[in-house]
Amino acid sequence: KSDITPNMKNKCINMIQNDEIESIPIVLLENISLVSINNNLKDNISEEILLKIIMNIQNIESKIKLINLNFSKVSRDNINILLKSLGEDYYKIIVNRTRPNLKYNESNILLLENIKGLGYKIKYETNEQTIKLKNTIR
């Protein structure tokens, strides 16, 4: 449970909207992302604010959860940018004929399924620890 108040969250969102994101401590951005995830606040965050938050937080799991929670509102071009922000293995998901390995968890499976919904033909195998992509074709 986060100790961030609605007033603090609104103030931070206003700072993000006003291009003052550099003045928001990363710890506070991380808290905003956790509050958004835990309270399913997808309707309250615009694509622009979402991008700014994701690009400036460090926790990969939080980034993936925010992307999944807001996937339908993010443009295809911005999905590419967000995948790059997650690291090379995530960006390789959408690169033809690459076979990255991802950590096995619900968030990564949902991310792959969301990307499939964009028309990518993604095949993968899972075990208890890893998701191994077999092939990606647009």
Side-chain angles (χ1 to χ4, degrees):
K1 185 167 176 158
S2 174
D3 57 357
I4 188 170
T5 66
N7 186 37
M8 288 171 66
K9 183 179 130 301
N10 289 335
K11 183 177 180 181
C12 290
I13 292 204
N14 287 337
M15 291 170 78
I16 293 167
Q17 286 174 329
N18 296 326
D19 291 324
E20 298 175 26
I21 197 162
E22 294 80 21
S23 64
I24 302 172
I26 289 177
V27 123
L28 193 51
L29 281 173
E30 298 277 355
N31 275 332
I32 292 169
S33 69
L34 290 174
V35 168
S36 298
I37 293 164
N38 293 335
N39 295 297
N40 202 20
L41 297 177
K42 61 184 175 187
D43 296 332
N44 298 343
I45 299 177
S46 70
E47 180 181 16
E48 180 183 3
I49 291 172
L50 176 70
L51 289 170
K52 287 181 180 182
I53 291 173
I54 290 172
M55 298 305 281
N56 285 281
I57 62 174
Q58 296 173 343
N59 185 293
I60 298 295
E61 185 70 20
S62 292
K63 287 183 179 196
I64 295 168
K65 287 180 179 180
L66 279 172
I67 291 168
N68 285 332
L69 185 63
N70 295 279
F71 199 87
S72 64
K73 74 168 67 168
V74 180
S75 71
R76 191 178 187 118
D77 288 339
N78 284 333
I79 292 295
N80 294 343
I81 292 167
L82 292 174
L83 288 174
K84 282 182 183 177
S85 82
L86 295 173
E88 185 176 351
D89 283 339
Y90 288 93
Y91 182 67
K92 284 182 177 180
I93 293 169
I94 58 170
V95 176
N96 286 344
R97 310 218 188 290
T98 58
R99 298 177 182 193
N101 292 322
L102 305 174
K103 179 181 174 184
Y104 180 82
N105 61 42
E106 284 183 37
S107 296
N108 282 336
I109 295 288
L110 181 56
L111 181 64
L112 291 173
E113 293 301 318
N114 281 331
I115 293 169
K116 274 180 155 179
L118 294 175
Y120 289 95
K121 295 178 178 144
I122 298 174
K123 295 179 184 175
Y124 57 89
E125 294 178 348
T126 62
N127 63 40
E128 292 178 9
Q129 298 177 350
T130 309
I131 303 168
K132 182 174 179 122
L133 271 73
K134 303 298 280 176
N135 204 1
T136 300
I137 301 173
R138 289 186 204 201

